Amino acid sequence: MSVLSFRRGAVGAGAAAVLAATGSWVLWPGNVDEALWAEVRPVIEARIAAESGGSGFGATVPALDARWFCRAEPLELEAHAGDVRAGVNTLCIEYGVQDGSLVECGAGQHPQVVRLQRDGSADGGYRVVSREEPPDGAGYGRWTHSHFGVYVRSSLREPMSSAALETEARAHFGLPADASVREC
């Protein structure tokens, strides 16, 4: 009787281990194809920056040459027959220059789903065909739940660093690398 109990326990423990491993695999995102990400990242960031605006104060401050700078981090990346679905977390910051300082006038971080297709050019580049982002307010949670897995949703709570955007903005505006950053 104890041998039979031991076998049942071993089968049960084995089944539990398989379920736990399968559940972990489902919760954790797949590896991001770094070569594909290197191809689509500049296209995604350029599109997001081009469509950013409206909420910053840069346009309302006299004598301030302001511009949006954006970066994206991959959350999920899937490719199929020339089409790419990129789940990304984005950070966009509006920077300008005033009195030799970099001035931050607006910022926003939020997830997006960007769909891209090969553009058919000789260099085999990509173009953005659609971009979705969550609504403000109560719909945010429903949107992220329907577009991302559990692990990805939990990573959305982590703030993205602005250091790379500050560096890019300083270079764009011709400021020294140690120029201070202040708010509008």
Short mmCIF file of all heavy atoms in Angstrom, two decimals, residues 65-121:
data_model
loop_
_atom_site.label_atom_id
_atom_site.label_comp_id
_atom_site.label_asym_id
_atom_site.label_seq_id
_atom_site.Cartn_x
_atom_site.Cartn_y
_atom_site.Cartn_z
N ASP A 65 13.10 76.80 -28.14
CA ASP A 65 13.07 75.87 -29.26
C ASP A 65 12.91 74.47 -28.66
O ASP A 65 13.86 73.90 -28.15
CB ASP A 65 14.38 75.97 -30.05
CG ASP A 65 14.46 75.00 -31.20
OD1 ASP A 65 13.40 74.56 -31.69
OD2 ASP A 65 15.59 74.67 -31.62
N ALA A 66 11.68 73.94 -28.68
CA ALA A 66 11.41 72.67 -28.02
C ALA A 66 11.12 71.59 -29.05
O ALA A 66 10.60 71.85 -30.14
CB ALA A 66 10.23 72.81 -27.07
N ARG A 67 11.42 70.37 -28.67
CA ARG A 67 11.22 69.20 -29.53
C ARG A 67 11.02 67.96 -28.66
O ARG A 67 11.56 67.88 -27.57
CB ARG A 67 12.46 69.04 -30.41
CG ARG A 67 12.40 67.84 -31.28
CD ARG A 67 13.64 67.71 -32.16
NE ARG A 67 13.63 66.34 -32.60
CZ ARG A 67 14.66 65.54 -32.62
NH1 ARG A 67 15.85 65.97 -32.29
NH2 ARG A 67 14.55 64.30 -32.99
N TRP A 68 10.24 66.99 -29.17
CA TRP A 68 10.01 65.73 -28.47
C TRP A 68 11.10 64.73 -28.83
O TRP A 68 11.47 64.60 -29.99
CB TRP A 68 8.64 65.15 -28.82
CG TRP A 68 7.53 65.89 -28.16
CD1 TRP A 68 6.85 66.97 -28.67
CD2 TRP A 68 6.97 65.63 -26.88
NE1 TRP A 68 5.90 67.40 -27.77
CE2 TRP A 68 5.95 66.59 -26.67
CE3 TRP A 68 7.22 64.70 -25.90
CZ2 TRP A 68 5.19 66.62 -25.50
CZ3 TRP A 68 6.47 64.72 -24.73
CH2 TRP A 68 5.46 65.68 -24.55
N PHE A 69 11.56 63.99 -27.81
CA PHE A 69 12.53 62.91 -27.97
C PHE A 69 11.89 61.66 -27.38
O PHE A 69 11.34 61.71 -26.27
CB PHE A 69 13.84 63.23 -27.23
CG PHE A 69 14.56 64.41 -27.81
CD1 PHE A 69 14.21 65.71 -27.46
CD2 PHE A 69 15.59 64.21 -28.73
CE1 PHE A 69 14.87 66.80 -28.00
CE2 PHE A 69 16.25 65.31 -29.27
CZ PHE A 69 15.90 66.60 -28.91
N CYS A 70 11.96 60.55 -28.09
CA CYS A 70 11.30 59.32 -27.63
C CYS A 70 12.23 58.13 -27.74
O CYS A 70 13.08 58.06 -28.63
CB CYS A 70 10.05 59.04 -28.48
SG CYS A 70 8.79 60.32 -28.36
N ARG A 71 12.02 57.19 -26.84
CA ARG A 71 12.71 55.90 -26.94
C ARG A 71 11.73 54.80 -26.59
O ARG A 71 10.74 55.02 -25.88
CB ARG A 71 13.97 55.86 -26.09
CG ARG A 71 13.78 55.68 -24.63
CD ARG A 71 15.17 55.68 -23.94
NE ARG A 71 15.08 55.20 -22.59
CZ ARG A 71 15.24 53.94 -22.22
NH1 ARG A 71 15.55 53.03 -23.10
NH2 ARG A 71 15.12 53.59 -20.95
N ALA A 72 12.01 53.64 -27.12
CA ALA A 72 11.14 52.48 -26.90
C ALA A 72 11.98 51.32 -26.37
O ALA A 72 13.15 51.16 -26.75
CB ALA A 72 10.46 52.08 -28.20
N GLU A 73 11.38 50.54 -25.49
CA GLU A 73 11.99 49.30 -25.00
C GLU A 73 11.09 48.16 -25.42
O GLU A 73 9.86 48.24 -25.26
CB GLU A 73 12.11 49.32 -23.48
CG GLU A 73 13.11 50.31 -22.96
CD GLU A 73 13.22 50.29 -21.45
OE1 GLU A 73 12.40 49.63 -20.77
OE2 GLU A 73 14.13 50.95 -20.93
N PRO A 74 11.67 47.08 -25.94
CA PRO A 74 10.83 45.97 -26.39
C PRO A 74 10.25 45.17 -25.22
O PRO A 74 10.94 44.90 -24.24
CB PRO A 74 11.79 45.11 -27.19
CG PRO A 74 13.12 45.34 -26.55
CD PRO A 74 13.09 46.79 -26.11
N LEU A 75 8.98 44.87 -25.31
CA LEU A 75 8.33 43.99 -24.35
C LEU A 75 8.05 42.65 -25.00
O LEU A 75 8.27 41.60 -24.41
CB LEU A 75 7.02 44.62 -23.87
CG LEU A 75 7.12 45.98 -23.20
CD1 LEU A 75 5.75 46.59 -23.01
CD2 LEU A 75 7.85 45.86 -21.87
N GLU A 76 7.57 42.70 -26.22
CA GLU A 76 7.26 41.51 -27.02
C GLU A 76 7.58 41.85 -28.47
O GLU A 76 7.37 42.98 -28.90
CB GLU A 76 5.79 41.14 -26.92
CG GLU A 76 5.30 40.89 -25.52
CD GLU A 76 3.79 40.71 -25.43
OE1 GLU A 76 3.06 41.33 -26.23
OE2 GLU A 76 3.37 39.97 -24.55
N LEU A 77 8.09 40.88 -29.21
CA LEU A 77 8.42 41.11 -30.61
C LEU A 77 8.14 39.82 -31.38
O LEU A 77 8.74 38.80 -31.10
CB LEU A 77 9.89 41.51 -30.72
CG LEU A 77 10.39 42.08 -32.03
CD1 LEU A 77 9.63 43.35 -32.40
CD2 LEU A 77 11.89 42.37 -31.94
N GLU A 78 7.20 39.91 -32.30
CA GLU A 78 6.82 38.74 -33.10
C GLU A 78 6.90 39.09 -34.57
O GLU A 78 6.42 40.14 -34.99
CB GLU A 78 5.38 38.33 -32.78
CG GLU A 78 5.10 37.99 -31.34
CD GLU A 78 3.61 37.86 -31.08
OE1 GLU A 78 2.85 37.52 -32.01
OE2 GLU A 78 3.22 38.12 -29.94
N ALA A 79 7.50 38.19 -35.37
CA ALA A 79 7.59 38.42 -36.81
C ALA A 79 6.97 37.24 -37.54
O ALA A 79 7.12 36.08 -37.12
CB ALA A 79 9.05 38.57 -37.23
N HIS A 80 6.26 37.55 -38.63
CA HIS A 80 5.66 36.51 -39.45
C HIS A 80 5.48 37.04 -40.87
O HIS A 80 4.76 38.01 -41.08
CB HIS A 80 4.30 36.08 -38.87
CG HIS A 80 3.63 35.02 -39.66
ND1 HIS A 80 4.10 33.73 -39.73
CD2 HIS A 80 2.53 35.06 -40.44
CE1 HIS A 80 3.31 33.03 -40.51
NE2 HIS A 80 2.35 33.82 -40.95
N ALA A 81 6.17 36.43 -41.81
CA ALA A 81 6.02 36.73 -43.23
C ALA A 81 6.12 38.22 -43.54
O ALA A 81 5.28 38.77 -44.24
CB ALA A 81 4.71 36.15 -43.75
N GLY A 82 7.13 38.89 -43.00
CA GLY A 82 7.33 40.31 -43.30
C GLY A 82 6.53 41.26 -42.43
O GLY A 82 6.68 42.47 -42.55
N ASP A 83 5.66 40.75 -41.57
CA ASP A 83 4.89 41.58 -40.65
C ASP A 83 5.50 41.43 -39.25
O ASP A 83 5.91 40.34 -38.86
CB ASP A 83 3.43 41.15 -40.60
CG ASP A 83 2.70 41.40 -41.91
OD1 ASP A 83 3.11 42.30 -42.66
OD2 ASP A 83 1.72 40.68 -42.18
N VAL A 84 5.52 42.53 -38.51
CA VAL A 84 6.06 42.51 -37.15
C VAL A 84 5.05 43.13 -36.21
O VAL A 84 4.47 44.17 -36.51
CB VAL A 84 7.40 43.29 -37.08
CG1 VAL A 84 7.90 43.38 -35.64
CG2 VAL A 84 8.45 42.66 -37.97
N ARG A 85 4.83 42.48 -35.08
CA ARG A 85 4.05 43.06 -33.99
C ARG A 85 5.03 43.33 -32.86
O ARG A 85 5.68 42.42 -32.35
CB ARG A 85 2.97 42.10 -33.50
CG ARG A 85 2.16 42.68 -32.33
CD ARG A 85 1.35 41.59 -31.61
NE ARG A 85 0.57 42.13 -30.53
CZ ARG A 85 1.01 42.32 -29.28
NH1 ARG A 85 2.26 42.02 -28.95
NH2 ARG A 85 0.22 42.81 -28.35
N ALA A 86 5.15 44.60 -32.50
CA ALA A 86 6.08 44.99 -31.44
C ALA A 86 5.28 45.57 -30.28
O ALA A 86 4.65 46.61 -30.42
CB ALA A 86 7.08 46.02 -31.96
N GLY A 87 5.31 44.89 -29.16
CA GLY A 87 4.78 45.44 -27.92
C GLY A 87 5.92 46.18 -27.26
O GLY A 87 6.97 45.58 -26.99
N VAL A 88 5.75 47.47 -27.04
CA VAL A 88 6.85 48.29 -26.52
C VAL A 88 6.38 49.16 -25.36
O VAL A 88 5.20 49.46 -25.23
CB VAL A 88 7.44 49.20 -27.62
CG1 VAL A 88 8.05 48.38 -28.74
CG2 VAL A 88 6.42 50.17 -28.18
N ASN A 89 7.32 49.54 -24.53
CA ASN A 89 7.08 50.55 -23.52
C ASN A 89 7.82 51.78 -24.03
O ASN A 89 8.97 51.69 -24.47
CB ASN A 89 7.63 50.11 -22.17
CG ASN A 89 6.97 50.83 -21.02
OD1 ASN A 89 6.06 51.63 -21.20
ND2 ASN A 89 7.43 50.55 -19.82
N THR A 90 7.17 52.93 -24.01
CA THR A 90 7.77 54.13 -24.59
C THR A 90 7.89 55.23 -23.55
O THR A 90 7.07 55.34 -22.63
CB THR A 90 6.94 54.66 -25.77
OG1 THR A 90 5.64 55.04 -25.31
CG2 THR A 90 6.80 53.62 -26.86
N LEU A 91 8.91 56.03 -23.73
CA LEU A 91 9.11 57.23 -22.93
C LEU A 91 9.37 58.37 -23.90
O LEU A 91 10.28 58.30 -24.72
CB LEU A 91 10.30 57.08 -21.98
CG LEU A 91 10.68 58.33 -21.17
CD1 LEU A 91 9.55 58.74 -20.22
CD2 LEU A 91 11.97 58.09 -20.40
N CYS A 92 8.55 59.40 -23.83
CA CYS A 92 8.73 60.60 -24.65
C CYS A 92 8.85 61.81 -23.73
O CYS A 92 8.07 61.95 -22.79
CB CYS A 92 7.55 60.80 -25.60
SG CYS A 92 7.47 59.54 -26.89
N ILE A 93 9.84 62.64 -24.02
CA ILE A 93 10.07 63.84 -23.22
C ILE A 93 10.27 65.01 -24.18
O ILE A 93 11.02 64.91 -25.15
CB ILE A 93 11.29 63.70 -22.29
CG1 ILE A 93 11.11 62.50 -21.36
CG2 ILE A 93 11.50 64.98 -21.48
CD1 ILE A 93 12.30 62.22 -20.46
N GLU A 94 9.59 66.11 -23.88
CA GLU A 94 9.78 67.32 -24.66
C GLU A 94 10.88 68.14 -23.99
O GLU A 94 10.78 68.51 -22.83
CB GLU A 94 8.49 68.14 -24.71
CG GLU A 94 8.61 69.38 -25.57
CD GLU A 94 7.37 70.25 -25.52
OE1 GLU A 94 6.71 70.29 -24.46
OE2 GLU A 94 7.08 70.90 -26.53
N TYR A 95 11.96 68.39 -24.76
CA TYR A 95 13.07 69.18 -24.26
C TYR A 95 13.22 70.44 -25.11
O TYR A 95 12.92 70.45 -26.30
CB TYR A 95 14.39 68.41 -24.35
CG TYR A 95 14.56 67.29 -23.37
CD1 TYR A 95 14.58 65.97 -23.81
CD2 TYR A 95 14.72 67.54 -22.01
CE1 TYR A 95 14.77 64.93 -22.91
CE2 TYR A 95 14.90 66.50 -21.12
CZ TYR A 95 14.92 65.20 -21.57
OH TYR A 95 15.09 64.17 -20.68
N GLY A 96 13.73 71.47 -24.49
CA GLY A 96 14.09 72.69 -25.16
C GLY A 96 15.35 73.24 -24.51
O GLY A 96 15.91 72.63 -23.61
N VAL A 97 15.79 74.40 -24.98
CA VAL A 97 16.97 75.04 -24.42
C VAL A 97 16.61 76.45 -24.00
O VAL A 97 15.92 77.17 -24.73
CB VAL A 97 18.11 75.10 -25.46
CG1 VAL A 97 19.30 75.87 -24.91
CG2 VAL A 97 18.54 73.72 -25.87
N GLN A 98 17.07 76.83 -22.82
CA GLN A 98 16.88 78.19 -22.34
C GLN A 98 18.04 78.55 -21.42
O GLN A 98 18.34 77.78 -20.49
CB GLN A 98 15.55 78.30 -21.59
CG GLN A 98 15.07 79.72 -21.39
CD GLN A 98 13.64 79.73 -20.88
OE1 GLN A 98 13.31 79.03 -19.93
NE2 GLN A 98 12.81 80.54 -21.51
N ASP A 99 18.70 79.64 -21.71
CA ASP A 99 19.82 80.12 -20.91
C ASP A 99 20.91 79.07 -20.71
O ASP A 99 21.43 78.90 -19.61
CB ASP A 99 19.34 80.63 -19.54
CG ASP A 99 18.34 81.77 -19.67
OD1 ASP A 99 18.49 82.58 -20.62
OD2 ASP A 99 17.42 81.84 -18.83
N GLY A 100 21.22 78.31 -21.74
CA GLY A 100 22.28 77.31 -21.68
C GLY A 100 21.93 76.05 -20.94
O GLY A 100 22.80 75.21 -20.71
N SER A 101 20.66 75.89 -20.55
CA SER A 101 20.22 74.69 -19.85
C SER A 101 19.24 73.91 -20.71
O SER A 101 18.50 74.48 -21.51
CB SER A 101 19.51 75.04 -18.54
OG SER A 101 20.40 75.59 -17.63
N LEU A 102 19.22 72.62 -20.50
CA LEU A 102 18.21 71.77 -21.13
C LEU A 102 16.95 71.88 -20.27
O LEU A 102 17.02 71.78 -19.05
CB LEU A 102 18.71 70.32 -21.16
CG LEU A 102 17.93 69.32 -21.99
CD1 LEU A 102 17.94 69.73 -23.46
CD2 LEU A 102 18.54 67.93 -21.85
N VAL A 103 15.83 72.14 -20.91
CA VAL A 103 14.58 72.36 -20.19
C VAL A 103 13.60 71.26 -20.56
O VAL A 103 13.34 71.03 -21.74
CB VAL A 103 13.99 73.75 -20.54
CG1 VAL A 103 12.71 73.99 -19.77
CG2 VAL A 103 14.99 74.84 -20.29
N GLU A 104 13.07 70.57 -19.53
CA GLU A 104 12.07 69.52 -19.75
C GLU A 104 10.69 70.15 -19.62
O GLU A 104 10.34 70.69 -18.58
CB GLU A 104 12.23 68.40 -18.73
CG GLU A 104 11.23 67.29 -18.90
CD GLU A 104 11.36 66.20 -17.86
OE1 GLU A 104 12.50 65.83 -17.50
OE2 GLU A 104 10.31 65.74 -17.39
N CYS A 105 9.91 70.05 -20.71
CA CYS A 105 8.60 70.73 -20.73
C CYS A 105 7.42 69.78 -20.66
O CYS A 105 6.30 70.21 -20.42
CB CYS A 105 8.49 71.58 -21.99
SG CYS A 105 9.71 72.90 -22.04
N GLY A 106 7.60 68.54 -20.91
CA GLY A 106 6.51 67.57 -20.85
C GLY A 106 7.09 66.17 -20.97
O GLY A 106 8.19 65.98 -21.49
N ALA A 107 6.36 65.17 -20.47
CA ALA A 107 6.85 63.79 -20.53
C ALA A 107 5.69 62.82 -20.40
O ALA A 107 4.65 63.16 -19.83
CB ALA A 107 7.86 63.54 -19.42
N GLY A 108 5.88 61.64 -20.92
CA GLY A 108 4.89 60.58 -20.78
C GLY A 108 5.50 59.22 -21.05
O GLY A 108 6.36 59.08 -21.92
N GLN A 109 5.11 58.24 -20.26
CA GLN A 109 5.54 56.86 -20.45
C GLN A 109 4.31 55.99 -20.55
O GLN A 109 3.43 56.05 -19.68
CB GLN A 109 6.42 56.40 -19.27
CG GLN A 109 6.84 54.95 -19.39
CD GLN A 109 7.68 54.46 -18.21
OE1 GLN A 109 8.36 55.22 -17.56
NE2 GLN A 109 7.60 53.17 -17.95
N HIS A 110 4.23 55.20 -21.61
CA HIS A 110 3.11 54.28 -21.72
C HIS A 110 3.42 53.17 -22.74
O HIS A 110 4.26 53.34 -23.61
CB HIS A 110 1.81 55.01 -22.09
CG HIS A 110 1.92 55.85 -23.31
ND1 HIS A 110 2.39 57.13 -23.29
CD2 HIS A 110 1.61 55.58 -24.59
CE1 HIS A 110 2.37 57.64 -24.50
NE2 HIS A 110 1.91 56.72 -25.31
N PRO A 111 2.72 52.04 -22.60
CA PRO A 111 2.93 50.94 -23.52
C PRO A 111 2.22 51.20 -24.85
O PRO A 111 1.27 51.98 -24.92
CB PRO A 111 2.29 49.75 -22.80
CG PRO A 111 1.21 50.37 -21.98
CD PRO A 111 1.74 51.70 -21.56
N GLN A 112 2.70 50.53 -25.87
CA GLN A 112 2.08 50.62 -27.18
C GLN A 112 2.25 49.29 -27.91
O GLN A 112 3.18 48.54 -27.61
CB GLN A 112 2.72 51.73 -28.03
CG GLN A 112 2.56 53.10 -27.43
CD GLN A 112 3.04 54.19 -28.37
OE1 GLN A 112 2.99 54.07 -29.58
NE2 GLN A 112 3.51 55.28 -27.78
N VAL A 113 1.38 49.07 -28.87
CA VAL A 113 1.54 47.95 -29.79
C VAL A 113 1.70 48.58 -31.17
O VAL A 113 0.84 49.31 -31.63
CB VAL A 113 0.34 46.99 -29.77
CG1 VAL A 113 0.47 45.94 -30.86
CG2 VAL A 113 0.23 46.32 -28.40
N VAL A 114 2.85 48.30 -31.78
CA VAL A 114 3.15 48.86 -33.09
C VAL A 114 3.24 47.71 -34.08
O VAL A 114 3.90 46.71 -33.82
CB VAL A 114 4.49 49.64 -33.07
CG1 VAL A 114 4.79 50.25 -34.43
CG2 VAL A 114 4.47 50.70 -31.98
N ARG A 115 2.54 47.85 -35.20
CA ARG A 115 2.60 46.85 -36.25
C ARG A 115 3.37 47.44 -37.42
O ARG A 115 3.13 48.57 -37.82
CB ARG A 115 1.21 46.42 -36.66
CG ARG A 115 0.48 45.74 -35.50
CD ARG A 115 -0.85 45.14 -35.92
NE ARG A 115 -1.59 44.70 -34.76
CZ ARG A 115 -1.42 43.54 -34.14
NH1 ARG A 115 -0.52 42.71 -34.55
NH2 ARG A 115 -2.14 43.21 -33.08
N LEU A 116 4.29 46.65 -37.94
CA LEU A 116 5.14 47.09 -39.04
C LEU A 116 5.10 46.07 -40.17
O LEU A 116 4.79 44.89 -39.94
CB LEU A 116 6.60 47.23 -38.57
CG LEU A 116 6.85 48.14 -37.39
CD1 LEU A 116 7.02 47.34 -36.12
CD2 LEU A 116 8.07 48.99 -37.61
N GLN A 117 5.44 46.53 -41.38
CA GLN A 117 5.57 45.66 -42.55
C GLN A 117 6.84 46.03 -43.27
O GLN A 117 7.27 47.19 -43.23
CB GLN A 117 4.40 45.82 -43.51
CG GLN A 117 3.11 45.25 -43.01
CD GLN A 117 1.98 45.45 -44.03
OE1 GLN A 117 2.05 46.31 -44.90
NE2 GLN A 117 0.96 44.64 -43.92
N ARG A 118 7.41 45.06 -43.98
CA ARG A 118 8.54 45.37 -44.85
C ARG A 118 8.06 46.38 -45.86
O ARG A 118 6.96 46.27 -46.38
CB ARG A 118 9.04 44.12 -45.57
CG ARG A 118 9.75 43.16 -44.67
CD ARG A 118 11.23 43.13 -45.03
NE ARG A 118 11.92 42.21 -44.17
CZ ARG A 118 13.01 42.53 -43.51
NH1 ARG A 118 13.52 43.73 -43.63
NH2 ARG A 118 13.60 41.66 -42.74
N ASP A 119 8.87 47.38 -46.16
CA ASP A 119 8.41 48.44 -47.06
C ASP A 119 8.67 48.15 -48.54
O ASP A 119 8.29 48.94 -49.39
CB ASP A 119 8.98 49.80 -46.65
CG ASP A 119 10.49 49.88 -46.81
OD1 ASP A 119 11.12 48.96 -47.37
OD2 ASP A 119 11.06 50.90 -46.37
N GLY A 120 9.31 47.05 -48.87
CA GLY A 120 9.52 46.68 -50.27
C GLY A 120 10.69 47.39 -50.92
O GLY A 120 10.94 47.20 -52.09
N SER A 121 11.41 48.21 -50.18
CA SER A 121 12.55 48.91 -50.75
C SER A 121 13.74 47.97 -50.86
O SER A 121 13.75 46.88 -50.29
CB SER A 121 12.92 50.13 -49.89
OG SER A 121 13.36 49.71 -48.63
#
